[in-house]
Amino acid sequence: KHGDQIGVLLIEPQWGSSQVGLPWPKNLAKQYVEMAKERGILVLADEIMCGLGRHGQGTLFLSEAWQLDPDAVTFGKSIGGGVYPLSGAVIKTGGVLLGANGKTVMQSHTFAGSSTRALMTGTEVLNMLPNWFNSVKKLGDEMKVILRHLEKVSNGLIETQGQGLMWGALVSRKGIHRDESLRAETISCLKKNLESVGVLPYFVPVGGFMISPVIDIDVGTLYRIGEKLEEALLLTVADVGWEQPTSQNANATEIKVTLQLDQEFLASELKKVCNSQLHFSRTCTSCSDFVHPTVRKRFSRGLIELQNAQFLD
């Protein structure tokens, strides 16, 4: 209806703090982009947070993995290696025209003394990142296991969403936290308990927190973070009086979890050598060097139960 009044469609394929790490539905995102292009509207993908491989889809940008084909992509933050303030944009067309008119997208006045080192760092980051794509995907799978478990033990106090190494937890309390005062009270309590166990996630205004670990984190540390979050959530559940309903089958619902890791682990124990390609990045779960299989089994119950419930629905 207003296509002739729109110059650029800005889309963030995976929302950051505004929606606590929620990825767009892939097909819906593609449909919006196609509709924009049909009307001559340029498309800009904001991948400041989810880009540079963090999304876990095996490409530098999520828009690339989803074949959105935007006209430009923005990126930043991690490109500077956590040391230099650096951001950038990839544009399909117009670069030569900008240069011919004396325009540039290079802004280095404020940080002129460090701009060369920042660009050198950014170049090395881009060269190195593809080596970590498989590890990020693997760690994203582990993050899903951990966070689904946290949903389960909190009995709906939080809902989690995300992919790769970019996840969020929304304080929901099964919808009760639409009440802003109640949500603020619960978040205040959660912050206190998280601080007491030594975990300080990034809280966002919509009512939750984000977890976006460094790319080279090891899988054992992920599970230790999960254990700390679990401890804080259980304290919060008790503090705010969020009672968990008792199950009639509580003593009879021990879930038999069979994971591929069990066979891999047994094989590696027999050989006493781990041959996993992920071992060098410390994301391997084929052995117990980084995280013990019993820990993964305990966390995986939340994911298995969720999948079973969805299947029954």
mmCIF file of all heavy atoms in Angstrom, residues 12 14-22 49-50 54 77 143 147 161-163 165-170 194 199-213 225 229:
data_model
loop_
_atom_site.group_PDB
_atom_site.id
_atom_site.type_symbol
_atom_site.label_atom_id
_atom_site.label_comp_id
_atom_site.label_asym_id
_atom_site.label_seq_id
_atom_site.Cartn_x
_atom_site.Cartn_y
_atom_site.Cartn_z
ATOM 1 N N GLU A 12 16.346 -7.339 10.747
ATOM 2 C CA GLU A 12 17.343 -7.998 11.597
ATOM 3 C C GLU A 12 16.982 -9.481 11.626
ATOM 4 O O GLU A 12 16.045 -9.876 12.330
ATOM 5 C CB GLU A 12 17.313 -7.402 13.000
ATOM 6 C CG GLU A 12 18.485 -7.790 13.872
ATOM 7 C CD GLU A 12 18.493 -7.064 15.212
ATOM 8 O OE1 GLU A 12 17.482 -6.419 15.557
ATOM 9 O OE2 GLU A 12 19.509 -7.132 15.913
ATOM 10 N N GLN A 14 17.935 -12.125 12.997
ATOM 11 C CA GLN A 14 17.746 -12.625 14.357
ATOM 12 C C GLN A 14 17.808 -11.414 15.282
ATOM 13 O O GLN A 14 18.822 -10.752 15.394
ATOM 14 C CB GLN A 14 18.821 -13.638 14.748
ATOM 15 C CG GLN A 14 18.611 -14.202 16.157
ATOM 16 C CD GLN A 14 19.658 -15.238 16.539
ATOM 17 O OE1 GLN A 14 20.548 -15.566 15.750
ATOM 18 N NE2 GLN A 14 19.555 -15.763 17.737
ATOM 19 N N TRP A 15 16.678 -11.132 15.929
ATOM 20 C CA TRP A 15 16.612 -9.963 16.782
ATOM 21 C C TRP A 15 17.620 -10.049 17.923
ATOM 22 O O TRP A 15 17.926 -11.132 18.426
ATOM 23 C CB TRP A 15 15.218 -9.825 17.383
ATOM 24 C CG TRP A 15 14.203 -9.199 16.499
ATOM 25 C CD1 TRP A 15 14.171 -7.910 16.056
ATOM 26 C CD2 TRP A 15 13.034 -9.827 15.945
ATOM 27 N NE1 TRP A 15 13.062 -7.692 15.266
ATOM 28 C CE2 TRP A 15 12.350 -8.852 15.189
ATOM 29 C CE3 TRP A 15 12.502 -11.116 16.029
ATOM 30 C CZ2 TRP A 15 11.155 -9.127 14.516
ATOM 31 C CZ3 TRP A 15 11.334 -11.392 15.370
ATOM 32 C CH2 TRP A 15 10.674 -10.408 14.614
ATOM 33 N N GLY A 16 18.089 -8.882 18.324
ATOM 34 C CA GLY A 16 18.977 -8.819 19.471
ATOM 35 C C GLY A 16 18.203 -8.491 20.725
ATOM 36 O O GLY A 16 17.249 -9.191 21.086
ATOM 37 N N SER A 17 18.562 -7.397 21.377
ATOM 38 C CA SER A 17 17.965 -7.061 22.667
ATOM 39 C C SER A 17 16.481 -6.703 22.557
ATOM 40 O O SER A 17 15.740 -6.830 23.524
ATOM 41 C CB SER A 17 18.731 -5.902 23.311
ATOM 42 O OG SER A 17 18.807 -4.800 22.438
ATOM 43 N N SER A 18 16.031 -6.266 21.384
ATOM 44 C CA SER A 18 14.634 -5.863 21.243
ATOM 45 C C SER A 18 13.666 -7.026 21.414
ATOM 46 O O SER A 18 12.539 -6.850 21.881
ATOM 47 C CB SER A 18 14.400 -5.202 19.885
ATOM 48 O OG SER A 18 14.687 -6.111 18.833
ATOM 49 N N GLN A 19 14.094 -8.239 21.029
ATOM 50 C CA GLN A 19 13.236 -9.422 21.169
ATOM 51 C C GLN A 19 14.020 -10.609 21.746
ATOM 52 O O GLN A 19 13.698 -11.768 21.491
ATOM 53 C CB GLN A 19 12.601 -9.798 19.826
ATOM 54 C CG GLN A 19 11.524 -8.836 19.360
ATOM 55 C CD GLN A 19 10.318 -8.811 20.273
ATOM 56 O OE1 GLN A 19 9.969 -9.809 20.876
ATOM 57 N NE2 GLN A 19 9.680 -7.647 20.383
ATOM 58 N N VAL A 20 15.041 -10.337 22.479
ATOM 59 C CA VAL A 20 15.781 -11.339 23.265
ATOM 60 C C VAL A 20 16.251 -12.527 22.414
ATOM 61 O O VAL A 20 15.994 -13.683 22.746
ATOM 62 C CB VAL A 20 14.932 -11.847 24.463
ATOM 63 C CG1 VAL A 20 15.845 -12.371 25.569
ATOM 64 C CG2 VAL A 20 14.042 -10.775 25.010
ATOM 65 N N GLY A 21 16.929 -12.222 21.294
ATOM 66 C CA GLY A 21 17.559 -13.292 20.518
ATOM 67 C C GLY A 21 16.636 -14.103 19.632
ATOM 68 O O GLY A 21 17.031 -15.161 19.137
ATOM 69 N N LEU A 22 15.426 -13.640 19.404
ATOM 70 C CA LEU A 22 14.462 -14.415 18.622
ATOM 71 C C LEU A 22 14.780 -14.362 17.133
ATOM 72 O O LEU A 22 14.832 -13.282 16.549
ATOM 73 C CB LEU A 22 13.048 -13.862 18.852
ATOM 74 C CG LEU A 22 11.916 -14.547 18.079
ATOM 75 C CD1 LEU A 22 11.719 -15.972 18.566
ATOM 76 C CD2 LEU A 22 10.619 -13.743 18.213
ATOM 77 N N MET A 49 24.617 -8.040 15.595
ATOM 78 C CA MET A 49 24.690 -9.017 16.683
ATOM 79 C C MET A 49 24.759 -10.456 16.178
ATOM 80 O O MET A 49 25.555 -11.250 16.656
ATOM 81 C CB MET A 49 23.499 -8.850 17.633
ATOM 82 C CG MET A 49 23.557 -7.568 18.455
ATOM 83 S SD MET A 49 22.313 -7.483 19.760
ATOM 84 C CE MET A 49 22.955 -8.700 20.918
ATOM 85 N N CYS A 50 23.919 -10.807 15.220
ATOM 86 C CA CYS A 50 23.823 -12.219 14.826
ATOM 87 C C CYS A 50 24.818 -12.610 13.747
ATOM 88 O O CYS A 50 25.017 -13.801 13.491
ATOM 89 C CB CYS A 50 22.408 -12.541 14.364
ATOM 90 S SG CYS A 50 21.942 -11.786 12.778
ATOM 91 N N ARG A 54 28.002 -16.018 14.242
ATOM 92 C CA ARG A 54 27.418 -16.295 15.564
ATOM 93 C C ARG A 54 26.102 -17.055 15.457
ATOM 94 O O ARG A 54 25.729 -17.793 16.375
ATOM 95 C CB ARG A 54 27.213 -14.978 16.323
ATOM 96 C CG ARG A 54 26.569 -15.135 17.688
ATOM 97 C CD ARG A 54 26.672 -13.897 18.525
ATOM 98 N NE ARG A 54 28.040 -13.626 18.926
ATOM 99 C CZ ARG A 54 28.651 -14.204 19.964
ATOM 100 N NH1 ARG A 54 27.996 -15.084 20.706
ATOM 101 N NH2 ARG A 54 29.891 -13.907 20.262
ATOM 102 N N LYS A 77 31.096 -4.828 16.168
ATOM 103 C CA LYS A 77 31.402 -5.335 17.503
ATOM 104 C C LYS A 77 32.499 -6.390 17.464
ATOM 105 O O LYS A 77 33.669 -6.091 17.624
ATOM 106 C CB LYS A 77 30.131 -5.863 18.188
ATOM 107 C CG LYS A 77 29.095 -4.773 18.424
ATOM 108 C CD LYS A 77 27.887 -5.264 19.190
ATOM 109 C CE LYS A 77 26.903 -4.120 19.428
ATOM 110 N NZ LYS A 77 25.700 -4.538 20.153
ATOM 111 N N MET A 143 23.664 -25.379 23.510
ATOM 112 C CA MET A 143 22.935 -24.296 24.153
ATOM 113 C C MET A 143 21.424 -24.597 24.181
ATOM 114 O O MET A 143 20.734 -24.310 25.168
ATOM 115 C CB MET A 143 23.180 -22.980 23.418
ATOM 116 C CG MET A 143 24.564 -22.396 23.597
ATOM 117 S SD MET A 143 24.771 -21.499 25.146
ATOM 118 C CE MET A 143 23.858 -20.002 24.807
ATOM 119 N N LEU A 147 19.263 -24.673 27.623
ATOM 120 C CA LEU A 147 18.200 -23.706 27.871
ATOM 121 C C LEU A 147 16.824 -24.348 27.930
ATOM 122 O O LEU A 147 15.948 -23.893 28.672
ATOM 123 C CB LEU A 147 18.252 -22.600 26.821
ATOM 124 C CG LEU A 147 19.498 -21.714 26.962
ATOM 125 C CD1 LEU A 147 19.660 -20.802 25.765
ATOM 126 C CD2 LEU A 147 19.426 -20.885 28.235
ATOM 127 N N GLN A 161 14.850 -18.726 23.611
ATOM 128 C CA GLN A 161 14.802 -18.691 22.151
ATOM 129 C C GLN A 161 16.166 -18.281 21.621
ATOM 130 O O GLN A 161 16.930 -17.601 22.303
ATOM 131 C CB GLN A 161 13.731 -17.699 21.684
ATOM 132 C CG GLN A 161 13.901 -16.311 22.274
ATOM 133 C CD GLN A 161 12.623 -15.492 22.280
ATOM 134 O OE1 GLN A 161 11.525 -16.030 22.193
ATOM 135 N NE2 GLN A 161 12.761 -14.179 22.355
ATOM 136 N N GLY A 162 16.472 -18.717 20.417
ATOM 137 C CA GLY A 162 17.739 -18.334 19.815
ATOM 138 C C GLY A 162 18.305 -19.421 18.936
ATOM 139 O O GLY A 162 17.629 -20.404 18.595
ATOM 140 N N GLN A 163 19.554 -19.266 18.582
ATOM 141 C CA GLN A 163 20.272 -20.245 17.770
ATOM 142 C C GLN A 163 21.760 -19.910 17.834
ATOM 143 O O GLN A 163 22.147 -18.813 18.236
ATOM 144 C CB GLN A 163 19.780 -20.234 16.327
ATOM 145 C CG GLN A 163 19.958 -18.905 15.618
ATOM 146 C CD GLN A 163 19.332 -18.867 14.227
ATOM 147 O OE1 GLN A 163 18.683 -19.809 13.790
ATOM 148 N NE2 GLN A 163 19.526 -17.762 13.529
ATOM 149 N N LEU A 165 25.283 -19.196 18.881
ATOM 150 C CA LEU A 165 25.763 -18.675 20.162
ATOM 151 C C LEU A 165 25.104 -17.338 20.487
ATOM 152 O O LEU A 165 25.740 -16.413 20.990
ATOM 153 C CB LEU A 165 27.291 -18.538 20.131
ATOM 154 C CG LEU A 165 28.060 -19.848 20.320
ATOM 155 C CD1 LEU A 165 29.557 -19.629 20.176
ATOM 156 C CD2 LEU A 165 27.735 -20.503 21.654
ATOM 157 N N MET A 166 23.814 -17.257 20.203
ATOM 158 C CA MET A 166 23.041 -16.056 20.522
ATOM 159 C C MET A 166 21.655 -16.486 20.974
ATOM 160 O O MET A 166 20.795 -16.835 20.164
ATOM 161 C CB MET A 166 22.962 -15.134 19.307
ATOM 162 C CG MET A 166 22.240 -13.834 19.566
ATOM 163 S SD MET A 166 22.400 -12.734 18.132
ATOM 164 C CE MET A 166 21.042 -11.601 18.434
ATOM 165 N N TRP A 167 21.450 -16.477 22.295
ATOM 166 C CA TRP A 167 20.205 -16.949 22.885
ATOM 167 C C TRP A 167 19.668 -15.926 23.876
ATOM 168 O O TRP A 167 20.414 -15.095 24.396
ATOM 169 C CB TRP A 167 20.420 -18.283 23.595
ATOM 170 C CG TRP A 167 20.633 -19.418 22.649
ATOM 171 C CD1 TRP A 167 21.776 -19.717 21.964
ATOM 172 C CD2 TRP A 167 19.675 -20.395 22.259
ATOM 173 N NE1 TRP A 167 21.582 -20.824 21.170
ATOM 174 C CE2 TRP A 167 20.304 -21.261 21.337
ATOM 175 C CE3 TRP A 167 18.332 -20.626 22.599
ATOM 176 C CZ2 TRP A 167 19.642 -22.345 20.759
ATOM 177 C CZ3 TRP A 167 17.670 -21.705 22.025
ATOM 178 C CH2 TRP A 167 18.320 -22.551 21.112
ATOM 179 N N GLY A 168 18.389 -16.022 24.130
ATOM 180 C CA GLY A 168 17.765 -15.143 25.099
ATOM 181 C C GLY A 168 16.775 -15.899 25.960
ATOM 182 O O GLY A 168 16.259 -16.959 25.569
ATOM 183 N N ALA A 169 16.536 -15.373 27.152
ATOM 184 C CA ALA A 169 15.534 -15.926 28.068
ATOM 185 C C ALA A 169 14.578 -14.812 28.447
ATOM 186 O O ALA A 169 15.002 -13.773 28.955
ATOM 187 C CB ALA A 169 16.201 -16.511 29.301
ATOM 188 N N LEU A 170 13.316 -15.015 28.171
ATOM 189 C CA LEU A 170 12.287 -14.030 28.470
ATOM 190 C C LEU A 170 11.572 -14.438 29.747
ATOM 191 O O LEU A 170 11.097 -15.576 29.864
ATOM 192 C CB LEU A 170 11.290 -13.947 27.313
ATOM 193 C CG LEU A 170 10.271 -12.815 27.335
ATOM 194 C CD1 LEU A 170 10.963 -11.460 27.215
ATOM 195 C CD2 LEU A 170 9.263 -13.000 26.210
ATOM 196 N N LEU A 194 21.336 -14.302 40.441
ATOM 197 C CA LEU A 194 22.394 -14.540 39.460
ATOM 198 C C LEU A 194 23.730 -13.981 39.954
ATOM 199 O O LEU A 194 24.770 -14.620 39.808
ATOM 200 C CB LEU A 194 22.018 -13.911 38.118
ATOM 201 C CG LEU A 194 20.973 -14.663 37.295
ATOM 202 C CD1 LEU A 194 20.436 -13.782 36.181
ATOM 203 C CD2 LEU A 194 21.551 -15.953 36.729
ATOM 204 N N VAL A 199 27.072 -15.224 38.056
ATOM 205 C CA VAL A 199 26.764 -15.111 36.629
ATOM 206 C C VAL A 199 26.070 -13.766 36.396
ATOM 207 O O VAL A 199 25.117 -13.419 37.102
ATOM 208 C CB VAL A 199 25.853 -16.255 36.146
ATOM 209 C CG1 VAL A 199 25.483 -16.066 34.681
ATOM 210 C CG2 VAL A 199 26.544 -17.594 36.325
ATOM 211 N N LEU A 200 26.553 -13.015 35.407
ATOM 212 C CA LEU A 200 25.988 -11.698 35.126
ATOM 213 C C LEU A 200 25.628 -11.596 33.647
ATOM 214 O O LEU A 200 26.374 -11.045 32.847
ATOM 215 C CB LEU A 200 26.986 -10.597 35.504
ATOM 216 C CG LEU A 200 27.385 -10.524 36.986
ATOM 217 C CD1 LEU A 200 28.496 -9.498 37.174
ATOM 218 C CD2 LEU A 200 26.178 -10.166 37.850
ATOM 219 N N PRO A 201 24.467 -12.122 33.243
ATOM 220 C CA PRO A 201 24.059 -12.013 31.836
ATOM 221 C C PRO A 201 23.634 -10.595 31.495
ATOM 222 O O PRO A 201 23.506 -9.733 32.372
ATOM 223 C CB PRO A 201 22.879 -12.991 31.749
ATOM 224 C CG PRO A 201 22.320 -13.029 33.126
ATOM 225 C CD PRO A 201 23.482 -12.842 34.058
ATOM 226 N N TYR A 202 23.411 -10.372 30.217
ATOM 227 C CA TYR A 202 23.018 -9.059 29.708
ATOM 228 C C TYR A 202 21.493 -8.951 29.766
ATOM 229 O O TYR A 202 20.780 -9.592 28.992
ATOM 230 C CB TYR A 202 23.544 -8.915 28.281
ATOM 231 C CG TYR A 202 22.982 -7.767 27.479
ATOM 232 C CD1 TYR A 202 22.841 -6.495 28.034
ATOM 233 C CD2 TYR A 202 22.613 -7.948 26.147
ATOM 234 C CE1 TYR A 202 22.333 -5.439 27.294
ATOM 235 C CE2 TYR A 202 22.115 -6.903 25.392
ATOM 236 C CZ TYR A 202 21.973 -5.649 25.972
ATOM 237 O OH TYR A 202 21.482 -4.610 25.228
ATOM 238 N N PHE A 203 20.978 -8.147 30.698
ATOM 239 C CA PHE A 203 19.533 -7.954 30.811
ATOM 240 C C PHE A 203 19.071 -6.907 29.804
ATOM 241 O O PHE A 203 19.759 -5.920 29.554
ATOM 242 C CB PHE A 203 19.155 -7.539 32.227
ATOM 243 C CG PHE A 203 19.009 -8.700 33.171
ATOM 244 C CD1 PHE A 203 20.120 -9.221 33.819
ATOM 245 C CD2 PHE A 203 17.773 -9.295 33.380
ATOM 246 C CE1 PHE A 203 19.996 -10.301 34.675
ATOM 247 C CE2 PHE A 203 17.643 -10.374 34.231
ATOM 248 C CZ PHE A 203 18.747 -10.889 34.884
ATOM 249 N N VAL A 204 17.888 -7.137 29.232
ATOM 250 C CA VAL A 204 17.356 -6.252 28.194
ATOM 251 C C VAL A 204 16.000 -5.695 28.629
ATOM 252 O O VAL A 204 15.296 -6.314 29.439
ATOM 253 C CB VAL A 204 17.228 -7.000 26.853
ATOM 254 C CG1 VAL A 204 18.595 -7.346 26.306
ATOM 255 C CG2 VAL A 204 16.383 -8.264 27.008
ATOM 256 N N PRO A 205 15.613 -4.523 28.099
ATOM 257 C CA PRO A 205 14.415 -3.827 28.577
ATOM 258 C C PRO A 205 13.103 -4.597 28.423
ATOM 259 O O PRO A 205 12.164 -4.367 29.178
ATOM 260 C CB PRO A 205 14.395 -2.549 27.729
ATOM 261 C CG PRO A 205 15.819 -2.340 27.323
ATOM 262 C CD PRO A 205 16.387 -3.705 27.148
ATOM 263 N N VAL A 206 13.018 -5.510 27.447
ATOM 264 C CA VAL A 206 11.739 -6.187 27.217
ATOM 265 C C VAL A 206 11.388 -7.180 28.317
ATOM 266 O O VAL A 206 10.281 -7.710 28.343
ATOM 267 C CB VAL A 206 11.721 -6.905 25.846
ATOM 268 C CG1 VAL A 206 11.763 -5.902 24.728
ATOM 269 C CG2 VAL A 206 12.852 -7.915 25.734
ATOM 270 N N GLY A 207 12.337 -7.446 29.219
ATOM 271 C CA GLY A 207 12.025 -8.318 30.340
ATOM 272 C C GLY A 207 12.694 -9.672 30.283
ATOM 273 O O GLY A 207 12.035 -10.714 30.369
ATOM 274 N N GLY A 208 13.993 -9.688 30.159
ATOM 275 C CA GLY A 208 14.726 -10.944 30.123
ATOM 276 C C GLY A 208 16.214 -10.675 30.005
ATOM 277 O O GLY A 208 16.680 -9.556 30.228
ATOM 278 N N PHE A 209 16.951 -11.705 29.616
ATOM 279 C CA PHE A 209 18.395 -11.543 29.481
ATOM 280 C C PHE A 209 18.896 -12.345 28.297
ATOM 281 O O PHE A 209 18.227 -13.269 27.820
ATOM 282 C CB PHE A 209 19.124 -11.966 30.760
ATOM 283 C CG PHE A 209 18.894 -13.405 31.174
ATOM 284 C CD1 PHE A 209 19.696 -14.436 30.689
ATOM 285 C CD2 PHE A 209 17.886 -13.729 32.076
ATOM 286 C CE1 PHE A 209 19.488 -15.751 31.071
ATOM 287 C CE2 PHE A 209 17.677 -15.045 32.466
ATOM 288 C CZ PHE A 209 18.477 -16.058 31.963
ATOM 289 N N MET A 210 20.076 -11.961 27.824
ATOM 290 C CA MET A 210 20.679 -12.640 26.680
ATOM 291 C C MET A 210 21.956 -13.350 27.082
ATOM 292 O O MET A 210 22.649 -12.931 28.021
ATOM 293 C CB MET A 210 20.957 -11.647 25.552
ATOM 294 C CG MET A 210 19.697 -11.071 24.946
ATOM 295 S SD MET A 210 20.006 -10.171 23.419
ATOM 296 C CE MET A 210 20.575 -11.500 22.341
ATOM 297 N N ILE A 211 22.243 -14.431 26.364
ATOM 298 C CA ILE A 211 23.470 -15.197 26.570
ATOM 299 C C ILE A 211 24.151 -15.306 25.212
ATOM 300 O O ILE A 211 23.641 -15.958 24.299
ATOM 301 C CB ILE A 211 23.188 -16.605 27.121
ATOM 302 C CG1 ILE A 211 22.293 -16.518 28.367
ATOM 303 C CG2 ILE A 211 24.482 -17.330 27.435
ATOM 304 C CD1 ILE A 211 21.772 -17.854 28.825
ATOM 305 N N SER A 212 25.278 -14.646 25.062
ATOM 306 C CA SER A 212 26.005 -14.676 23.790
ATOM 307 C C SER A 212 27.494 -14.856 24.090
ATOM 308 O O SER A 212 28.252 -13.882 24.074
ATOM 309 C CB SER A 212 25.748 -13.395 22.989
ATOM 310 O OG SER A 212 25.975 -12.250 23.804
ATOM 311 N N PRO A 213 27.912 -16.092 24.364
ATOM 312 C CA PRO A 213 29.297 -16.341 24.761
ATOM 313 C C PRO A 213 30.286 -16.037 23.636
ATOM 314 O O PRO A 213 29.914 -15.907 22.465
ATOM 315 C CB PRO A 213 29.306 -17.852 25.085
ATOM 316 C CG PRO A 213 27.869 -18.242 25.208
ATOM 317 C CD PRO A 213 27.113 -17.312 24.328
ATOM 318 N N ILE A 225 28.034 -22.743 33.030
ATOM 319 C CA ILE A 225 27.145 -21.581 33.025
ATOM 320 C C ILE A 225 25.700 -22.046 33.218
ATOM 321 O O ILE A 225 24.929 -21.452 33.976
ATOM 322 C CB ILE A 225 27.288 -20.796 31.706
ATOM 323 C CG1 ILE A 225 28.668 -20.134 31.624
ATOM 324 C CG2 ILE A 225 26.179 -19.746 31.573
ATOM 325 C CD1 ILE A 225 28.961 -19.505 30.275
ATOM 326 N N LEU A 229 23.087 -20.884 36.091
ATOM 327 C CA LEU A 229 21.774 -20.329 35.770
ATOM 328 C C LEU A 229 20.667 -21.154 36.420
ATOM 329 O O LEU A 229 19.682 -20.595 36.932
ATOM 330 C CB LEU A 229 21.579 -20.293 34.254
ATOM 331 C CG LEU A 229 22.418 -19.285 33.473
ATOM 332 C CD1 LEU A 229 22.267 -19.512 31.965
ATOM 333 C CD2 LEU A 229 22.017 -17.854 33.823
#
